[in-house]
């Protein structure tokens, strides 16, 4: 692999992944030969990220902490073209899903992933899933410390962990290294926030028991400040307590959030601390040498000096309104002067959110090589990020993205919609998500209107499992089924901003599919009529409450 600024596999990693591919190839062979029943095969395929969906198998590929090289993205494009239908879906868990994999091709697809140090291990099952992180990691101007270092340490500890392979339920960990939470840490089973205390030391706030789904909950602080070298020992203690007491008698009450809710955070903390006291001085203590060895692999690229103020960029802002809006919404300050972080919107008007064709993936990889040190990030908001772009290269990047259809100036705006695959693909869904997102996107396609509306996050799920994070959308939309009819329940006021994390308030009865756009339009109109100076949609909701939105929405339907 070319020089990268994130973790490189060693011989141990490659051997482990290769052996798992060989093992799964044998399991698939036995399933196709009729030697394994579907009941016997199911846990084996899920261990390798292979789901059976409505119409076909789906392969969920891990993108650890959302970091990709251009070479890896090209391989994903190749796999999608060779073994699927030429496109993939980037998810809210920093994974890529291929929705039309044939069972007999799955081992070859996994072998192709292994060629570029990728896999699909632990993207399913009751284990510690893909560890996610801030998609601006290693580049953000507001970053205290690169969270990917710690995500990689957690990944190595948790991969095929014998004690935590069959937990009561799936387990998700997210890490942020910034005061601006771009990893949604309070709605994960464990959220980790790097922060600096009054003594200048950097450590973790450990947050436990968050999660969405059937019973949405916001995580509670288990440890205010945990020294960094004690991270794995504390995580191990927390997982042991959950493994010991988490409910296995009821699928819907098996997540750690239910345990924390039932016993209370004080009892949970006491049990974890007692377990921790027994193990903190054992083998899981992280030495400075170990931390430094991982940290070196995430050393920032050596970015040559580039100008901060570029006349050509400033001139284009005045000549091209869409470029000016793109700079405002899709370009973020970098920690190095003269550079910026660029978000490629995978939400062009009317497109399925998070989808990218093989051609588009290859085009994005070319842009990364030319303008971003060959590095990319995947966000939980289903977009792609170029973390290291020189300001003077922004016009070229904008033009190149435009040719791919990924230059929409809508990041954080009303058409930057998060949506799960819904009933078009998923066997668990009650309703379609993608068509609803497409109709909303087309209705609000005008960029000037989007920027007038300002920051507004719409999140859509096709069922109560909440893969589209609807509970924490400024506007959340949940598909429900009533006597075979697809309806949509609307909530307002959800948020994942740190210190303001909130679950949305359900407005009332679900609305018909053909009324969702009208409902959203009325909510936006209520906001525009009521907003104060500098108010975002969610700020106005907090100030005036749900009733004005509710009254106007139902009156419009």
């Amino acid at each position: 692999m070319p020089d990268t600024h994130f973790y490189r596999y060693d011989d141990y990693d490659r051997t482990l992944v290769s052996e798992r591919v060989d093992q799964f190839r044998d399991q698939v062979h036995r399933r196709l030969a009729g030697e394994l029943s579907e009941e016997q095969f199911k846990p084996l395929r899920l261990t390798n990220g292979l789901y059976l969906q409505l119409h076909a198998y789906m392969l969920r590929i891990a993108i650890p902490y959302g970091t990709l090289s251009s070479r890896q993205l090209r391989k994903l494009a190749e796999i999608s073209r060779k073994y699927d239908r030429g496109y993939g879906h980037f998810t809210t868990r920093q994974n890529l899903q291929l929705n039309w994999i044939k069972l007999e091709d799955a081992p070859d697809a996994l072998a192709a992933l292994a060629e570029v140090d990728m896999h699909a291990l632990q993207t399913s099952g009751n284990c510690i899933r893909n560890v996610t992180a801030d998609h601006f990691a290693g580049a953000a101007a507001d970053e205290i410390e690169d969270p990917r270092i710690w995500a990689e340490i957690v990944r190595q500890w948790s991969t095929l962990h014998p004690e935590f392979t069959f937990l009561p339920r799936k387990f998700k960990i997210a890490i942020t290294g910034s005061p601006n939470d771009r990893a949604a840490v309070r709605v994960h089973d464990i959220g980790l926030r790097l922060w600096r205390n009054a003594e200048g030391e950097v450590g973790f706030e450990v947050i436990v028991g968050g999660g969405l789904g059937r019973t949405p909950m916001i995580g509670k602080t288990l440890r205010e400040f945990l020294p960094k070298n004690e991270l794995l020992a504390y995580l191990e203690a927390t997982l042991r307590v959950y493994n010991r007491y988490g409910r296995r008698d009821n699928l819907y009450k098996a997540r750690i959030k239910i345990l924390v809710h039932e016993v209370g955070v004080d009892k949970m903390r006491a049990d974890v601390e007692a377990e921790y006291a027994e193990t903190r001085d054992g083998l899981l203590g992280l030495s400075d040498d170990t931390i430094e060895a991982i940290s070196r692999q995430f050393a920032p690229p050596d970015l040559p000096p580039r100008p901060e103020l570029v006349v050509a960029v400033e001139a284009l802002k005045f000549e091209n309104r869409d470029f000016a809006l793109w700079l405002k919404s899709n370009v973020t300050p970098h920690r190095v002067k003269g550079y910026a972080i660029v978000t490629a919107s995978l939400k062009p008007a009317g497109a399925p959110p998070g989808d990218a064709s093989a051609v588009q993936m290859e085009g994005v990889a070319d842009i990364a090589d030319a303008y971003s040190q060959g590095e990319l990030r995947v966000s939980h908001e289903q977009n792609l990020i170029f973390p290291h772009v020189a300001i003077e290269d922004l016009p070229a990047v904008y033009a190149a993205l435009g040719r791919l259809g990924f230059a929409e100036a809508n990041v954080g705006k009303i058409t930057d919609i998060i949506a799960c695959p819904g009933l078009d693909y998923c066997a668990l869904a009650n309703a379609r998500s993608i068509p609803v997102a497409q109709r909303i996107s087309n209705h609000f396609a005008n960029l000037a209107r989007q920027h007038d509306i300002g920051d507004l996050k719409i999140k859509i799920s096709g069922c109560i499992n909440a893969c589209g994070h609807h509970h924490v959308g400024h506007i959340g939309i949940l598909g429900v089924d009533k006597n075979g009819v697809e309806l949509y329940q609307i909530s307002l006021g959800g948020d994942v901003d740190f210190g303001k994390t909130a679950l949305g308030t359900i407005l009332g009865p679900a609305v018909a599919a053909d009324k969702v756009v009208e409902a959203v339009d009325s909510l936006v109109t209520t906001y525009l009529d009521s907003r104060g100076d500098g108010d975002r949609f969610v700020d106005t909701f907090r100030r005036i409450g749900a009733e004005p939105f509710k009254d106007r929405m139902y009156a419009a339907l």
Side-chain angles (χ1 to χ4, degrees), residues 509-530:
V511 304
D514 62 357
K515 296 293 184 182
V516 173
V517 171
E518 290 178 52
V520 172
D521 193 84
S522 73
L523 296 172
V524 170
T525 301
T526 302
Y527 157 62
L528 294 175
D529 289 347
S530 308

Side-chain angles (χ1 to χ4, degrees), residues 231-310:
L231 176 62
L232 293 188
Y234 201 82
L235 290 180
E236 181 113 345
T238 306
L239 266 294
R240 282 183 173 177
V241 170
Y242 169 53
N243 211 15
R244 187 181 308 142
Y245 298 118
R247 294 185 60 173
R248 298 175 188 269
D249 62 321
N250 187 326
L251 179 70
Y252 303 118
K253 296 185 178 182
R255 298 291 291 270
I256 194 173
K257 63 187 177 184
I258 302 299
L259 176 63
V260 174
H261 175 74
E262 289 185 344
V263 306
V265 69
D266 291 338
K267 176 67 164 63
M268 184 73 183
R269 183 183 296 112
D271 287 351
V272 170
E273 292 290 344
E275 180 71 33
Y276 177 58
E278 294 292 323
T279 58
R280 63 182 298 174
D281 297 323
L283 296 176
L284 287 173
L286 290 164
S287 69
D288 290 343
D289 288 345
T290 297
I291 296 170
E292 176 59 27
I294 298 294
S295 298
R296 279 197 301 271
Q297 299 215 40
F298 291 88
D302 185 15
L303 300 174
R306 303 291 283 270
E308 290 182 66
L309 184 65
V310 180

Side-chain angles (χ1 to χ4, degrees), residues 8 32 49 64 68 179 203 254 275 306 311 352 380-381 394 409 434 446 476 483 492 511 527 554:
R8 273 79 69 193
L32 291 171
L68 273 174
E275 180 71 33
R306 303 291 283 270
V311 173
H380 80 272
E381 295 170 329
L394 290 174
I434 294 171
N446 182 276
N483 300 321
L492 299 184
V511 304
Y527 157 62
Y554 286 108

Side-chain angles (χ1 to χ4, degrees), residues 431-448:
R432 288 165 178 79
S433 300
I434 294 171
V436 173
Q438 290 172 305
R439 290 197 294 271
I440 295 171
S441 175
N442 282 325
H443 182 76
F444 290 98
N446 182 276
L447 282 176

Side-chain angles (χ1 to χ4, degrees), residues 11 35 82 113 121 126 157 175 177 259 273 281 296 303 349 352 371 374 410 467 489 502 504 516:
D11 289 342
E35 298 172 14
K82 187 173 183 179
L113 286 172
L121 297 174
N126 293 338
W157 161 76
I175 309 177
L259 176 63
E273 292 290 344
D281 297 323
R296 279 197 301 271
L303 300 174
Y371 301 110
N410 66 343
C467 294
Q489 184 184 83
V516 173

